[in-house]
Amino acid sequence: MISRMKRIVLFISLIFVLALVPALPQTAAGAETAAERYAVAAEHDVWFYSEANEEKGLFIMPFSYYVKVLAEGDPFCRVEYLENRNGRIPLEGYCKKSDLQFVDFTPVRPWLFYDLELKYSIENGGSVGSGSFDTIARTVSFYGTYYSGTALYYYVYADGQFDYVPASQEIKYDFNTDYLTPSSGEVPPADRNGNGGLTGIQIAVVCIVCAAAVVVAFIVLRGKKPPVAQSPEEET
């Protein structure tokens, strides 16, 4: 009887495990994708640093645009801005955690794609020729602004090189309002790590499996015939 009960328990456990396999939480690869986080520069003075040091500011982030958070820390987070697209490259650096507003969604347009045309003119060009090349134009990608005292500069990229160019005024661009959606805000720890509780589907599967296990046990036990009692005469 005890051996038979052990087989029943083992059989029910096997059914339970097999039924839960499709309902298990996402795989490690899926969890890694879900863990990709973004944070927005929700203020006008969020600095992007080359190192985790306040003295190493590269530029001021475009207001209302995002960085991808590579590693969360305090006081600095390691982040990435922009991507390999339209002549740009992703730039890794740091932002102060207190300056960022973390969001619980992937923004539709996290980066500001803004090109600048720089024109260089040669004053008092030579007297020979028509002067067709006295003015040269070059297109660069804008990453952010920088101030040295009261002097304004743009931090730009072109042809594999970053540098600063002097500017006379702040550029004007469309603000990104994605971070104003109702779903923005701090990500709950369970959702952030992909380790939340069972979903409704998983709970339903557990209930069905438990019910099925009870039915199986009942059928098995009912099918076992009780031993036939021997009469006193047969015992002697």
Side-chain angles (χ1 to χ4, degrees), residues 6 10-11 14 20 35 48 58 66 71 73 91 102 117 151 153 178 180-182 202 219 222 234:
K6 287 183 179 180
L10 180 61
F11 179 69
L14 181 61
L20 278 183
F48 188 100
L58 279 180
Y66 294 77
L91 180 63
F102 292 83
E117 186 177 62
Y153 294 83
D178 286 351
L180 297 178
T181 60
Q202 293 170 346
I219 293 175
R222 186 180 182 184
E234 292 176 343

Side-chain angles (χ1 to χ4, degrees), residues 79-138:
V79 299
E80 182 179 86
Y81 180 60
L82 278 171
E83 61 186 36
N84 284 305
R85 180 179 163 193
N86 299 338
R88 295 161 174 81
I89 63 172
L91 180 63
E92 286 193 20
Y94 297 84
C95 285
K96 296 185 70 173
K97 183 178 181 179
S98 58
D99 291 341
L100 298 174
Q101 179 176 330
F102 292 83
V103 297
D104 59 359
F105 60 92
T106 299
V108 177
R109 51 183 189 122
W111 328 119
L112 173 63
F113 290 98
Y114 194 98
D115 290 332
L116 296 168
E117 186 177 62
L118 306 179
K119 292 184 178 181
Y120 301 91
S121 299
I122 302 175
E123 296 182 1
N124 302 322
S127 58
V128 179
S130 62
S132 301
F133 300 103
D134 288 351
T135 300
I136 300 175
R138 185 182 185 185

Side-chain angles (χ1 to χ4, degrees), residues 1-9 219-221 223-224:
M1 179 67 178
I2 295 177
S3 177
R4 187 179 184 86
M5 287 300 298
K6 287 183 179 180
R7 288 198 297 270
I8 294 173
V9 172
I219 293 175
V220 172
L221 292 176
K224 181 176 176 60

Side-chain angles (χ1 to χ4, degrees), residues 146-158:
Y146 180 88
Y147 281 91
S148 177
T150 58
L152 173 64
Y153 294 83
Y154 298 147
Y155 192 69
V156 300
Y157 172 82

Side-chain angles (χ1 to χ4, degrees), residues 29-91:
E32 183 178 351
T33 302
E36 187 173 272
R37 299 194 66 199
Y38 289 84
V40 62
E43 303 292 338
H44 289 273
D45 57 352
V46 176
W47 278 88
F48 188 100
Y49 302 89
S50 60
E51 301 177 15
N53 187 331
E54 291 187 3
E55 302 298 323
K56 300 294 183 179
L58 279 180
F59 59 87
I60 299 174
M61 284 285 302
F63 169 68
S64 75
Y65 286 87
Y66 294 77
V67 290
K68 182 189 294 184
V69 180
L70 304 179
E72 186 174 339
D74 194 6
F76 288 93
C77 295
R78 185 164 61 89
V79 299
E80 182 179 86
Y81 180 60
L82 278 171
E83 61 186 36
N84 284 305
R85 180 179 163 193
N86 299 338
R88 295 161 174 81
I89 63 172
L91 180 63

